[in-house]
Amino acid sequence: MPQLSLKEIIERIDEAKSRFASSLERINDLEQLRELESDVLSKKGTLALLNRQLGSLDLESRQAAGAVINQARAEMRSDFERVESGLLVNARAAELESEKLDISEMVEDWTFQAGRIHLITATRHELEDIFVGMGFTVEEGPEVETEWHNFEALNIPPYHPARAGQDSFYLKFGAPESMLLRTHTSPVQIRVMMRQKPPIYAVVPGRVYRRDTADARHTPAFHQIEGLVVDKGISFANLAGTIEEFTKAIFGPNIVARLRPGYFPFTEPSAEFEVTCSICGGTGCRTCSGTGWIELGGCGMVDPNVFMAVGLDPEEWSGFAFGFGIDRLAQMRYSISDMRVLLDNDVRFLRQF
Ligand code: PHE
């Protein structure tokens, strides 16, 4: 570059300033702005080159020119920063807009995404409502039980087959075979009678466990609802009436229920509670093993030994108890030929209810 006079240098600075100002005006993105910054303001930019020319000037002119360059640089910097901050704000706004997630967006077929209460839970709620309507309270008990509550207090002797290891899930906790996953909801009868005085009108829904191989009617974890009534002068007629009432409420007129003599160590007399198999309508099929009937559970009058185990006088108090499978009940009510689908969690099945 040829030697420049002070005047020429000052002209160049003015020129650079006005070019910079008009470029700034046209710029509309950050990339162009960075380019302009490097062309004009960087160490290799126009101003730096002009600065290098000062060496050939005398001291006074050099100082004057230097001051003009510094002044110009400061002004250009500040214009640059004003434009830069405007562009940064716009860029951030565009970025936010592009990342925006509309969580209120409506999908055409919204039923597709709606959740459901599982059929078993819904059936349990319905049962609770029916029994609450009949004057019962809803109670709970633990799924991990002592052998005493699950068997002993219920008059189930040590040699009873239900206590054998092949039927129950025993836990490695405490003395051997002293703790297990409850095999029925009946131990909660014991707990309720020990924590409250009669009269008792209680139902207890809950999960129970048995070492059954899963098939059309069985799963190793299932649900029962226990009923317990303890009062003065309770008879088998009260039991039969309660069961009939409940059967009508849950099944309507299309399913017939029957009681037939049975045996449970904790009730005497005892009965088994069966309903017409809804898969075949009673003619016999694979689900009911050809019998036309499905057993929902058992019931009977509370055995005096059970009253004595919890410190109630069997001369003073009488009562009845029942225990039904909630899964079986839902299975019959909706004619589900294989119970295992209740546990598959296939939404195509679950969505139907
Ligand atoms: N606990 C019994 C069972 O699981 C059912 C039952 C409950 C029978 C109450 C009589 C009285 O098979």
Side-chain angles (χ1 to χ4, degrees), residues 154 183-187 189 208 210 222 224-227 263-267 270-271 295-301 320-324:
L154 287 166
T183 58
H184 50 177
T185 42
S186 299
Q189 288 185 34
V208 303
R210 287 184 201 171
F222 60 103
Q224 288 188 327
I225 184 162
E226 191 82 8
Y263 171 77
F264 297 98
F266 36 97
T267 47
S270 301
E295 190 193 326
L296 284 191
C299 58
M301 304 306 291
F320 65 77
F322 57 81
F324 306 142

Side-chain angles (χ1 to χ4, degrees), residues 23 55 238 287:
S23 302
N238 298 129
T287 303

